[in-house]
Amino acid sequence: MVNVADDVELHGLHISPDLDTVTYTVAGAIDPERGWGLAGETWRTMEALRRFPRARTWFNLGDQDLATHLYRTDRLRAGATLTEVTAEVAEAFGLRLRLLPVSDDLVRTVVSTAEGDLSFQEYFVQRQHAVAATGVRFEGVERARPGPDVLAALTEAERIVIAPSNPIVSIGPVLAVPGVRATVESRRDDVVAISPIIAGAALKGPADRLLRELGHESSVVGVARLYAPLAATPT
């Protein structure tokens, strides 16, 4: 079950970074050094795009990766849901599991800073999360509905594991979709939450700094406090 609030449209394409990273990782196809995108990637399209001075080339898309976005965008425009397309992409990569976007509806993370509001990808990729955050909100989440299998999966699962992703901008948007947090809370005794913070530092990305900037303790204890209503077993 994956966050969709950092999805972005660039070059006319619907890009789902979290869904793709999970797909590529489980399929054993991810670039191990970058931790995103596909192994053995080439960048001819991006190199060609840079000849145009107004092109948005701050968000790198590899040539193989572009095929995923082209397929997703074409299917969405044909009327398929994000849930349906995600299942098709997962099958194409040989995954034998259900990969569920938390919602088929439009939800977008916005990071507030002293310089103004930034979309998540502007904050994370373009600005390299170097600007201090003063707040985070998920635009459209109040109107979003859980994906068609999301609540059933949470209800029927033997165990729910909250992965060691960023609690604010990766797990937060998932829980913010109406019905999701309440369902997880109702299963609290069967929920395990894994901290992305070890010895005060994030395993990856800006989770430690973002927690501090938004008034939380950047530690395993701080993460456990965030997840206390949801998980009986924080680790």
Side-chain angles (χ1 to χ4, degrees):
M1 191 170 301
V2 181
N3 167 40
V4 297
D6 62 359
D7 284 19
V8 63
E9 281 207 9
L10 282 175
H11 319 301
L13 300 176
H14 184 116
I15 301 165
S16 296
D18 279 12
L19 285 167
D20 291 341
T21 295
V22 173
T23 299
Y24 299 163
T25 299
V26 179
I30 200 162
D31 185 302
E33 294 183 5
R34 291 194 308 267
W36 55 270
L38 288 159
E41 189 61 275
T42 56
W43 307 91
R44 298 287 298 277
T45 302
M46 294 303 298
E47 290 165 4
L49 193 59
R50 288 189 178 94
R51 70 166 57 101
F52 304 106
R54 299 181 67 180
R56 291 178 291 175
T57 56
W58 52 267
F59 193 97
N60 277 319
L61 298 169
D63 299 327
Q64 298 179 80
D65 191 32
L66 274 167
T68 302
H69 310 317
L70 285 165
Y71 180 77
R72 177 186 294 115
T73 305
D74 186 51
R75 292 285 291 123
L76 290 173
R77 288 177 181 166
T81 66
L82 186 58
T83 295
E84 291 168 340
V85 180
T86 298
E88 293 165 4
V89 172
E91 183 179 9
F93 275 87
L95 271 58
R96 295 186 176 183
L97 52 79
R98 283 194 305 164
L99 187 60
L100 300 176
V102 68
S103 179
D104 288 331
D105 296 320
L106 185 68
V107 180
R108 293 293 181 264
T109 296
V110 176
V111 180
S112 297
T113 75
E115 301 174 18
D117 288 347
L118 301 173
S119 72
F120 180 75
Q121 298 302 340
E122 289 172 328
Y123 163 78
F124 189 73
V125 178
Q126 186 178 33
R127 302 298 297 275
Q128 294 290 297
H129 46 81
V131 57
T134 58
V136 171
R137 68 180 186 275
F138 311 120
E139 288 190 345
V141 76
E142 300 85 357
R143 300 182 298 277
R145 295 166 297 174
D149 299 321
V150 163
L151 297 186
L154 290 171
T155 301
E156 297 166 6
E158 180 179 339
R159 182 80 63 182
I160 298 170
V161 179
I162 301 176
S165 295
N166 190 310
I168 305 296
V169 294
S170 294
I171 304 300
V174 173
L175 295 170
V177 172
V180 173
R181 175 179 283 273
T183 303
V184 175
E185 287 179 349
S186 74
R187 298 291 314 279
R188 184 177 182 275
D189 289 345
D190 301 309
V191 179
V192 175
I194 304 173
S195 173
I197 307 295
I198 297 176
L203 292 170
K204 180 182 177 182
D208 46 0
R209 193 174 73 253
L210 192 57
L211 284 166
R212 289 193 298 271
E213 289 169 356
L214 298 181
H216 305 287
E217 183 180 332
S218 180
S219 68
V220 172
V221 173
V223 174
R225 290 192 184 113
L226 284 173
Y227 289 147
L230 301 162
T233 314
T235 60

